[in-house]
Amino acid sequence: MIKKITVGCLGLLLCINQALALNEPHTAKVLESKTAGAYTYLKVDENNEKYWLAIQRSNVEVGENITFNEQIWMKNFKSKALNKTFDKIMFAQESGRKDLDIHNIHGNMIKEKSEVKPDVKFNDGIVISKDTPIKTDISSLYEDKDKLKNKNVEVQGDVLQVSNKVMGNTWVKIYDGKSTVIFRSPNEDEKIKPGDSVIVIGTLNTDIDFGHGYKYEVLGINSKFKVLTR
């Protein structure tokens, strides 16, 4: 059985077990495989328990066994790419994939890897504001991006993924029950983890293209995080 704990966030139930997520890999047989957008969605059978799993785009075929590490469980998750709502789904990292990072999965990094490591300049062209932050939600960051461009914003959500020490920054993907977004902190050692509920303030930069496939419709810059007490 999959071990779970339940936490509340904006009406969304998140089921996560940090010990499993970080240390104990799962192995399951693939029953169905659907790739859409940045993810491959798999229906799997683990010890006679069937459930849906989402990993970074991968060539996984029906009938294969796949090994992965749990990151977070979600209920009533809607995939716009598939136009499908999952009653519950596990987001996970496929074991043995060394190319996995927050940019590959959530930064629209579509281009193939090359043997030459790209010199991505993560500070070129960014804007940092000192204005009073505007409270909003993640969906509105996209819907009102022209109005919010280069302004400080404040949103609340649950942490899905954290990448520390990436070009001197920490990159954090958060989810508020409807949409996801990445906020980048200049603190490369942010002490937050998947499953944390946070308030984040940062300057909203829009239509960012760092080159080499690192493209973002919206991206929070110079961000500060506050972990909420449950």
Side-chain angles (χ1 to χ4, degrees):
M1 296 294 293
I2 300 172
K3 302 175 183 178
K4 295 178 283 185
I5 60 175
T6 303
V7 296
C9 172
L10 302 178
L12 175 72
L13 294 178
L14 299 179
C15 302
I16 186 168
N17 182 297
Q18 291 296 332
L20 278 176
L22 297 177
N23 299 315
E24 300 181 19
H26 296 255
T27 298
K29 184 177 181 178
V30 177
L31 304 178
E32 296 182 39
S33 178
K34 301 178 180 181
T35 296
Y39 294 97
T40 293
Y41 298 87
L42 305 172
K43 186 176 183 179
V44 299
D45 185 336
E46 181 183 4
N47 299 325
N48 295 319
E49 182 172 2
K50 299 177 177 64
Y51 57 91
W52 281 95
L53 167 75
I55 59 174
Q56 182 189 349
R57 288 179 68 100
S58 182
N59 296 321
V60 180
E61 297 183 359
V62 172
E64 288 186 23
N65 287 327
I66 182 172
T67 301
F68 51 91
N69 288 81
E70 177 182 333
Q71 292 183 325
I72 196 167
W73 276 93
M74 290 189 176
K75 287 190 174 183
N76 300 319
F77 175 80
K78 183 175 182 179
S79 165
K80 293 183 180 179
L82 282 180
N83 192 28
K84 176 181 175 64
T85 299
F86 296 90
D87 292 337
K88 64 176 182 177
I89 187 169
M90 179 200 293
F91 282 77
Q93 177 172 308
E94 184 180 356
S95 298
R97 292 287 298 276
K98 295 182 179 180
D99 60 334
L100 293 174
D101 60 49
I102 201 167
H103 312 295
N104 289 4
I105 300 174
H106 308 301
N108 299 327
M109 187 177 186
I110 305 303
K111 297 182 180 179
E112 294 292 332
K113 293 281 184 177
S114 66
E115 294 182 1
V116 179
K117 186 177 181 180
D119 179 20
V120 183
K121 298 179 180 179
F122 286 124
N123 291 315
D124 282 2
I126 66 169
V127 175
I128 295 175
S129 172
K130 296 182 179 180
D131 295 339
T132 301
I134 300 169
K135 291 186 179 181
T136 184
D137 56 42
I138 294 176
S139 296
S140 297
L141 299 182
Y142 295 91
E143 296 168 1
D144 301 329
K145 69 175 187 177
D146 291 337
K147 181 175 67 176
L148 297 173
K149 180 178 181 179
N150 299 337
K151 297 183 183 296
N152 280 338
V153 294
E154 176 182 327
V155 297
Q156 182 175 331
D158 287 276
V159 176
L160 289 183
Q161 190 175 14
V162 180
S163 279
N164 297 105
K165 302 183 185 299
V166 178
M167 304 296 278
N169 292 267
T170 295
W171 300 66
V172 181
K173 184 179 183 182
I174 63 173
Y175 177 68
D176 68 354
K178 294 181 180 179
S179 302
T180 59
V181 69
I182 293 174
F183 276 79
R184 191 183 86 179
S185 166
N187 175 10
E188 66 177 8
D189 291 310
E190 285 283 355
K191 304 302 182 184
I192 55 178
K193 59 187 181 300
D196 281 345
S197 294
V198 298
I199 292 175
V200 56
I201 294 174
T203 304
L204 190 73
N205 282 214
T206 64
D207 301 314
I208 296 296
D209 185 354
F210 293 123
H212 304 285
Y214 291 81
K215 297 181 180 180
Y216 305 85
E217 184 179 355
V218 297
L219 178 67
I221 297 294
N222 198 39
S223 307
K224 295 182 180 179
F225 295 87
K226 178 182 178 181
V227 178
L228 300 176
T229 302
R230 298 191 184 95

